[in-house]
Amino acid sequence: GGWKIIETMGSRITKLSQHQGFSASMGGSIVVFTASLLGIPVSTTHTITGCVIGSGVARRASAVRWGVAQSVMVAWVITIPASAAVGALFYLLTRLF
């Protein structure tokens, strides 16, 4: 799924120029390293997606395809509790055996 994620980030949410891609990467790196120094767990995917959206908004708000961004965010809201449920299920299964 790597190429599909890269395509979504770099083309589908907003069309990034080289400068915007660099800015999004640098911003994501700063946020991740700062959070790490402070001991705060953060998702690199969430961080870089926020930076890509911010980079598009900095150009102009209409440059962001908000429908695609919304789909990504809805997937996050669904996958976190779904992952927790799967983890709990497997924990319970291992307790049985």
Side-chain angles (χ1 to χ4, degrees):
W3 176 247
K4 198 171 186 179
I5 293 168
I6 291 169
E7 181 184 7
T8 298
M9 293 296 179
S11 299
R12 292 192 60 218
I13 291 176
T14 186
K15 182 70 175 153
L16 293 177
S17 69
Q18 292 175 345
H19 297 296
Q20 288 173 308
F22 174 79
S23 298
S25 293
M26 182 61 74
S29 297
I30 290 169
V31 169
V32 169
F33 284 125
T34 302
S36 294
L37 285 172
L38 298 172
I40 303 168
V42 294
S43 166
T44 54
T45 304
H46 290 86
T47 302
I48 195 65
T49 302
C51 288
V52 167
I53 292 171
S55 195
V57 169
R59 188 173 55 205
R60 66 181 189 281
S62 63
V64 176
R65 292 185 186 100
W66 292 106
V68 176
Q70 182 181 14
S71 296
V72 170
M73 289 180 220
V74 166
W76 291 341
V77 170
I78 292 170
T79 56
I80 291 170
S83 297
V86 170
L89 176 67
F90 277 95
Y91 171 74
L92 293 173
L93 287 173
T94 58
R95 298 280 305 203
L96 291 176
F97 300 105

